[in-house]
Amino acid sequence: MSESVSDRRDQIIAALDYPRSLMEQESKRGTCSQHYQFNEQADDCNECLYILECQAYGEQLASPSLVEATFDELQRLLRFAIEYVSYHLGRLGHDAGRCDCELCTWLRSVTPLLEVAA
């Protein structure tokens, strides 16, 4: 693997730290009978408001397999993370181009990374 691709992989993995922590905070606001481990067989999980966060956090973003993920998988996860953060910004009514909050700053900082990765 070339150093350039390796550097981009490392940057994407590092960029996923913020949405991972955001998802963890969101999913742990309530009590969870499954201990925040998504279980598709559990009615509690399938009816939970935080199903997206728990699935992504538990199955993808918190996984040590990020290091083993292909570059395409990392790009997909980064696109998902950007969509997730953008959704939060939309709910808050933020303009990412003008706001200096943590969400907006993260989004501006990783958008060029996605463009480079694509």
Side-chain angles (χ1 to χ4, degrees):
M1 178 181 323
S2 75
E3 186 173 326
S4 171
V5 171
S6 178
D7 288 346
R8 284 190 280 171
R9 285 179 55 81
D10 292 344
Q11 290 171 346
I12 291 171
I13 290 170
L16 292 171
D17 282 343
Y18 179 72
R20 179 176 47 236
S21 68
L22 182 63
M23 287 178 194
E24 182 178 20
Q25 291 168 13
E26 286 293 315
S27 67
K28 292 188 178 182
R29 287 185 183 202
T31 58
C32 177
S33 64
Q34 300 298 316
H35 307 287
Y36 310 104
Q37 301 296 314
F38 179 74
N39 177 356
E40 67 182 43
Q41 305 302 320
D43 288 340
D44 289 354
C45 285
N46 292 307
E47 297 170 6
C48 181
L49 294 175
Y50 302 107
I51 188 171
L52 179 64
E53 289 88 348
C54 194
Q55 283 177 312
Y57 178 80
E59 295 173 6
Q60 299 168 348
L61 296 178
S63 172
S65 65
L66 280 180
V67 176
E68 298 171 9
T70 67
F71 191 68
D72 288 342
E73 290 169 330
L74 290 175
Q75 288 179 39
R76 182 183 54 78
L77 288 170
L78 183 59
R79 279 191 291 277
F80 167 78
I82 288 171
E83 289 175 16
Y84 182 78
V85 170
S86 295
Y87 168 76
H88 279 282
L89 290 173
R91 285 184 20 210
L92 298 171
H94 286 223
D95 177 355
R98 296 183 180 172
C99 181
D100 288 328
C101 76
E102 196 171 25
L103 289 167
C104 293
T105 302
W106 180 85
L107 187 62
R108 282 193 306 272
S109 72
V110 300
T111 300
L113 180 58
L114 184 61
E115 292 168 0
V116 168

